[in-house]
Amino acid sequence: MAASFDLVVLGAGSGGYACALRAAQLDFNVALIEKDKVGGTCLHRGCIPTKAMLHAAEVADSVRMGSQFGVHAAIDKIDLAGVVSYADSVVARIYKGLSGLVNSNGITVVHGAGRLTRHDGHHVVSVDDETYQAPNLVLATGSYSRSLPGLEIDGAKILASEQALRLERLPTSAIVLGGGVIGVEFASAWRSFGVDVTIVEALPRLVSGEDPSISAGLERTFRKRGITMVTGAAMSSCQTTESGVRMELADGQVLEAELILVAVGRGPQTSGLGYPETGVDLEDGFVKVNERLETSVPGVYAVGDLVRGLQLAHRGFAHGIFVAEDIAHRTGLLKRPPATIVDLGVPRVTYSDPEIVSIGLSEDEARTRFGEVETFSYDLAGNGKSQILKTRGFVKLVRRPSGPVVGVHMIGARVSELVGEAQLITNWDAFPADVAGLIHAHPSQSEALGEAHLALAGKPLHSHG
Ligand code: FAD
């Protein structure tokens, strides 16, 4: 006999657990099925451990550069096992809190690998011999690290991010294949730990999803930091050798290093789970959904990395909450339908040194959409707090002529902390004059955002407008 719930969620990562929590708050009886640990990629193998590693990297840089601030100190050693154990302790604390939250909300957690099947004419999730049914099901099985043909992740010399996070000894040299967010973050941290890093990127620039000015700024700083970058270069072959790995590029260049991190993107975890077999349409492996995140099967939804678009934890949270509220609205529990989740309104952060923040449209995207646009870049050289931190970078605004700000792009140490204000500006369609009227605390990096808007509003303070 099938166990019956109001909602069954398959996968307890950011998208799945957020959906379960919101649904439980709305008094749904929820089953959350997870084959590994509640929290998923972000908590156990993604956002949290990488950011802990990057924080340790920042500590290393602070020690190394202490003399520039009159504090003389030296690094004795980088104990990578110690870094991993620090990251583990952060993950463990968050995991404990999250598990408590899930339990206290009365959610039934089912431990096991689930599969979408049909039972008595209904879609259900089966785990071993048990069946879990509900009027609404949510697919939230996430994503996996992709590789390239002929490049098999062996976990020893050819690593994906999962293995790279478990390394207990630093390599002397590493090739990072892929200059997207994950590749750039690892390259940054490893360089801070003293590793000789080469990034290989097939596209002409790093972080190619960002405004080109941001890529240029990142590449400038990475070059100064001693990170080698080979862009516009595709890998043609790769072999392991006795001492490490040897990679040949399409232009004949040969690179050697102790190990390779393969960071060429993440694919949706949709195979072998019964999705297409039960009528759930896929496209390039991603689950096809409408704007309400409903799949081709009515009553079956998909959230998070399974859905084509930005693969970010906070987008997964937003998807999960949306689906729970949408179901509640359709069943009459909520009066108003929730607002649909649009990727353009999702903030993007790369936590390397320097950090990168973007929200909304790049200059080129805005030009394509609106024709003419106005832009302004405020150099962090004019920002007191950035000078104190000795960071370089800028805040770039993109605005519709005589209209609202449609894109904010920032690069520099610690700019991730400005992402909240940046998203309020674009998501509330603020005009430069609206933001120029807000008072930004001095000295803070948020002043750079204020100054850029003052300039676009025609009344620059510490810039030439
Ligand atoms: P997942 O978190 O992948 O969760 C899916 C869950 O489903 C997993 O727990 C899995 O075990 C489970 N599952 C799969 N199949 C089954 C099955 N058959 N039965 C039961 N359970 C199953 N995002 C950010 O926003 N900020 C960051 O700083 C950031 N850093 C990252 C760093 C790295 C190295 C990586 C890899 C990712 C990072 N991300 C970051 C992305 C973020 O982790 C993902 O966008 C997010 O985890 C997606 O959530 P999800 O719920 O869709 O999938």
Side-chain angles (χ1 to χ4, degrees):
M1 213 179 80
S4 287
F5 292 85
D6 297 326
L7 183 70
V8 172
V9 182
L10 179 58
S14 313
Y17 82 69
C19 186
L21 283 172
R22 183 67 187 116
Q25 287 165 5
L26 291 163
D27 277 340
F28 287 13
N29 182 17
V30 183
L32 181 60
I33 301 172
E34 172 57 53
K35 66 176 182 181
D36 190 1
K37 284 186 183 160
V38 172
T41 305
C42 176
L43 175 54
H44 300 284
R45 302 172 290 283
C47 327
I48 299 298
T50 50
K51 268 78 261 180
M53 178 183 68
L54 281 154
H55 179 65
E58 190 183 338
V59 172
D61 283 333
S62 298
V63 174
R64 193 175 294 117
M65 294 190 284
S67 60
Q68 290 184 26
F69 304 91
V71 179
H72 295 264
I75 294 179
D76 184 12
K77 74 167 178 181
I78 306 282
D79 166 19
L80 196 60
V83 174
V84 171
S85 117
Y86 147 67
D88 284 349
S89 71
V90 177
V91 171
R93 270 197 304 279
I94 299 176
Y95 178 52
K96 192 168 170 218
L98 179 62
S99 304
L101 200 59
V102 167
N103 286 337
S104 65
N105 273 277
I107 295 166
T108 302
V109 178
V110 178
H111 298 280
R115 195 183 149 80
L116 194 63
T117 53
R118 285 178 66 85
H119 179 78
D120 287 346
H122 298 287
H123 280 77
V124 297
V125 176
S126 60
V127 181
D128 301 325
D129 297 333
E130 300 293 326
T131 301
Y132 299 85
Q133 72 177 30
N136 293 290
L137 307 177
V138 178
L139 311 178
T141 44
S143 59
Y144 66 92
S145 299
R146 284 193 206 267
S147 187
L148 296 179
L151 191 61
E152 200 175 318
I153 307 292
D154 65 9
K157 291 178 180 168
I158 305 181
L159 315 179
S161 58
E162 291 84 346
Q163 292 95 33
L165 278 170
R166 304 308 308 167
L167 279 180
E168 298 228 323
R169 190 185 63 78
L170 281 169
T172 51
S173 58
I175 296 170
V176 173
L177 185 64
V181 179
I182 292 177
V184 157
E185 289 188 352
F186 272 96
S188 180
W190 281 350
R191 185 65 197 135
S192 300
F193 292 150
V195 179
D196 191 357
V197 179
T198 302
I199 305 177
V200 175
E201 168 57 55
L203 293 172
R205 57 189 174 94
L206 300 188
V207 290
S208 58
E210 299 291 342
D211 191 279
S213 62
I214 293 283
S215 299
L218 177 69
E219 288 169 15
R220 203 164 38 242
T221 306
F222 267 15
R223 207 166 291 121
K224 278 183 67 180
R225 293 188 56 202
I227 295 174
T228 307
M229 289 157 287
V230 189
T231 51
M235 182 196 89
S236 70
S237 67
C238 178
Q239 298 89 36
T240 54
T241 62
E242 209 159 286
S243 57
V245 283
R246 183 178 186 280
M247 179 183 285
E248 195 166 337
L249 305 181
D251 65 4
Q253 250 190 99
V254 172
L255 303 172
E256 289 190 281
E258 208 175 308
L259 57 80
I260 294 184
L261 167 66
V262 183
V264 294
R266 294 181 63 80
Q269 190 87 56
T270 49
S271 76
L273 298 174
Y275 297 171
E277 296 85 338
T278 54
V280 173
D281 289 345
L282 304 183
E283 193 173 56
D284 301 329
F286 289 95
V287 177
K288 270 175 86 173
V289 291
N290 61 20
E291 62 159 18
R292 291 176 42 250
L293 300 171
E294 197 169 23
T295 69
S296 48
V297 176
V300 177
Y301 295 80
V303 297
D305 285 8
L306 285 184
V307 177
R308 192 194 290 279
L310 295 171
Q311 291 175 316
L312 291 169
H314 42 286
R315 173 181 178 258
F317 295 148
H319 276 180
I321 294 168
F322 171 85
V323 166
E325 293 187 349
D326 196 53
I327 295 168
H329 171 252
R330 280 194 300 111
T331 49
L333 269 167
L334 283 182
K335 281 206 180 88
R336 282 157 51 130
T340 53
I341 311 299
V342 181
D343 273 10
L344 196 59
V346 176
R348 309 174 291 262
V349 182
T350 303
Y351 295 86
S352 48
D353 174 21
E355 291 186 336
I356 296 169
V357 165
S358 59
I359 174 96
L361 300 169
S362 68
E363 183 177 344
D364 290 346
E365 288 164 345
R367 269 188 211 293
T368 308
R369 200 176 280 209
F370 307 119
E372 279 303 290
V373 293
E374 263 180 77
T375 65
F376 183 80
S377 287
Y378 183 82
D379 196 317
L380 292 186
N383 175 256
K385 185 62 192 267
S386 299
Q387 286 301 305
I388 291 166
L389 296 173
K390 286 187 180 284
T391 188
R392 293 182 58 182
F394 57 86
V395 171
K396 175 174 175 176
L397 304 182
V398 182
R399 156 194 211 191
R400 289 180 73 168
S402 313
V405 175
V406 294
V408 179
H409 308 271
M410 300 185 268
I411 183 165
R414 301 194 187 172
V415 294
S416 63
E417 296 302 331
L418 306 182
V419 66
E421 183 173 2
Q423 81 152 312
L424 292 181
I425 291 167
T426 56
N427 287 353
W428 275 345
D429 294 331
F431 279 57
D434 297 328
V435 186
L438 302 173
I439 298 166
H440 291 83
H442 178 75
S444 71
Q445 284 182 297
S446 73
E447 282 177 290
L449 257 180
E451 294 268 2
H453 286 86
L454 280 166
L456 264 193
K459 44 179 186 176
L461 180 59
H462 295 102
S463 66
H464 298 286

